[in-house]
């Protein structure tokens, strides 16, 4: 199998982003993650923090959507962000071999056969310890932070892709980074890619 | 991480059993698959074909179960098979390092920390071609055979484990054998296990 692109979906705190960066380094290609937000900011004029929130959390719910449709005055901010993000990711894939972290890239590039689709996850204990080590303590209990992030990420993915986040059938490789080890994950993906 | 046991859940036609056998050979340990049915047959007196069907298909539905409870006269055949299977798999894991294919072994050994839990799947095209190559043509269309097997295997797993078959979070490693390649799957699992 000949792959050009690797998409990495990941549970919050699982180390998926770190794995993506290391993998890209070892393969000598670029890893796109926050760069996608920079691009959306440039194209849309929205603030980066605002984009980051909107591309993680679900829209204002059905009521909000209905109200927007009632007095339709163009796409919502969420729709504009989604559209710019979609176009940018598709252009990236056409342009260069790269790793793309998150942002439903697995779904957006689903019709290409040169995309290796990866999901990285880990159990709550591993992720709780990791987020405290990476992002420091917070007033909110780590388990609660994970639960909140998991819920929103799954809902966002479900709404935009109509697929279930974490369903093994949507990916070519799913790895528990706690059980397999982060460096091992990098090694496995590198070998499949090459 | 130090593993002694590998459980392989697999979609019908994905090559999960073949991967399990090759992996066990390369690791110099035993692979248990049909041997579990032999053991159940010996202990229970049931016919092997009957056991094979009962340990793949769900019980007679809620109505059947209720009727059995109404005039309770001991465990049903399905319950006896499940019990013997559970005990045997747990004893195996205590006794020796091995690969166990299917039979909800990932769930049955879920409280052990020396078990590497694997799920093997592949897309319908790959599996349809593979089952025709492995098991020959049949009057029933390969896609229909896959659909039927997938449905029953998922229902059996759901009923006995209360978990979703193919949910990446239930496994340490999920591999699309068509995308990754069977020999590559063996190599990846061997390296994680060692």
């Amino acid at each position: 199998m000949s792959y050009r692109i690797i998409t990495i979906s990941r549970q919050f705190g699982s180390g998926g982003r770190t794995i993506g960066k290391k993998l890209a380094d070892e393969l000598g290609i670029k890893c796109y993650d926050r760069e996608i937000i920079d691009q959306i900011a440039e194209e849309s004029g929205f603030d980066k923090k605002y984009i980051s929130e909107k591309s993680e959390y679900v829209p204002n719910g059905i009521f909000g959507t209905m109200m927007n449709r009632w007095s339709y005055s163009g796409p919502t901010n969420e729709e504009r962000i989604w559209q710019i993000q979609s176009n940018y990711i598709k252009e990236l894939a056409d342009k260069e071999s790269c790793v793309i972290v998150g942002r439903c890239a697995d779904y957006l590039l689903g019709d290409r056969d040169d995309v290796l689709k990866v999901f990285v996850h880990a159990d709550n204990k591993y992720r709780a310890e990791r987020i405290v080590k990476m992002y420091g303590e917070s007033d909110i209990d780590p388990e609660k932070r994970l639960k909140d992030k998991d819920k929103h990420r799954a809902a966002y993915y479900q709404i935009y892709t109509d697929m279930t986040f974490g369903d093994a059938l949507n990916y070519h490789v799913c790895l528990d980074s706690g059980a397999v080890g982060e460096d091992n994950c990098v090694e496995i993906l590198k070998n499949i890619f090459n």
Side-chain angles (χ1 to χ4, degrees), chain A:
Chain A
M1 209 63 63
S2 177
Y3 297 112
R4 279 182 64 249
I5 319 284
I6 301 175
T7 61
I8 300 189
S9 299
R10 76 287 181 224
Q11 270 194 315
F12 177 61
S14 66
R17 181 189 295 162
T18 310
I19 290 167
K21 296 269 179 209
K22 280 192 194 174
L23 178 62
D25 278 351
E26 295 208 14
L27 291 170
I29 58 180
K30 272 194 78 172
C31 177
Y32 289 92
D33 173 24
R34 297 205 189 280
E35 295 79 358
I36 298 172
I37 290 180
D38 296 346
Q39 180 66 25
I40 300 169
E42 201 180 301
E43 277 197 43
S44 66
F46 290 129
D47 177 71
K48 287 182 193 175
K49 192 164 177 290
Y50 178 82
I51 296 165
S52 188
E53 277 164 14
K54 289 289 176 192
S55 59
E56 182 99 299
Y57 286 74
V58 292
N60 299 323
I62 291 166
F63 183 71
T65 309
M66 279 173 65
M67 287 300 284
N68 285 330
R69 290 287 167 263
W70 197 299
S71 55
Y72 188 74
S73 55
T76 63
N77 288 355
E78 290 92 343
E79 285 166 344
R80 285 185 58 200
I81 290 171
W82 173 255
Q83 201 50 57
I84 297 172
Q85 175 174 306
S86 304
N87 293 344
Y88 183 58
I89 287 173
K90 287 176 184 173
E91 283 165 20
L92 269 183
D94 279 338
K95 203 177 65 179
E96 66 184 90
S97 176
C98 59
V99 175
I100 305 173
V101 177
R103 317 219 160 267
C104 305
D106 55 305
Y107 166 77
L108 291 167
L109 305 177
D111 54 353
R112 298 179 67 111
D113 57 9
D114 58 354
V115 178
L116 181 70
K117 297 187 279 184
V118 177
F119 179 65
V120 179
H121 59 99
D123 66 25
N124 284 3
K125 187 173 172 294
Y126 178 86
R127 294 191 294 141
E129 285 173 11
R130 200 177 168 284
I131 61 169
V132 170
K133 211 165 86 181
M134 294 288 285
Y135 311 116
E137 294 279 356
S138 136
D139 290 345
I140 308 161
D141 177 61
E143 293 266 354
K144 168 87 183 65
R145 286 159 72 189
L146 291 177
K147 205 173 165 184
D148 186 61
K149 279 276 195 179
D150 286 351
K151 199 173 74 179
H152 284 102
R153 209 166 268 188
Y156 178 81
Y157 188 83
Q158 168 83 52
I159 281 195
Y160 281 100
T161 71
D162 203 20
M163 300 191 301
T164 305
F165 190 66
D167 179 347
L169 302 189
N170 297 338
Y171 308 97
H172 298 127
V173 185
C174 302
L175 296 168
D176 179 327
S177 52
V180 174
E182 282 190 17
D183 288 342
N184 238 342
C185 290
V186 174
E187 205 58 32
I188 289 167
L189 298 174
K190 200 174 70 176
N191 288 336
I192 296 173
F193 189 77
N194 280 326

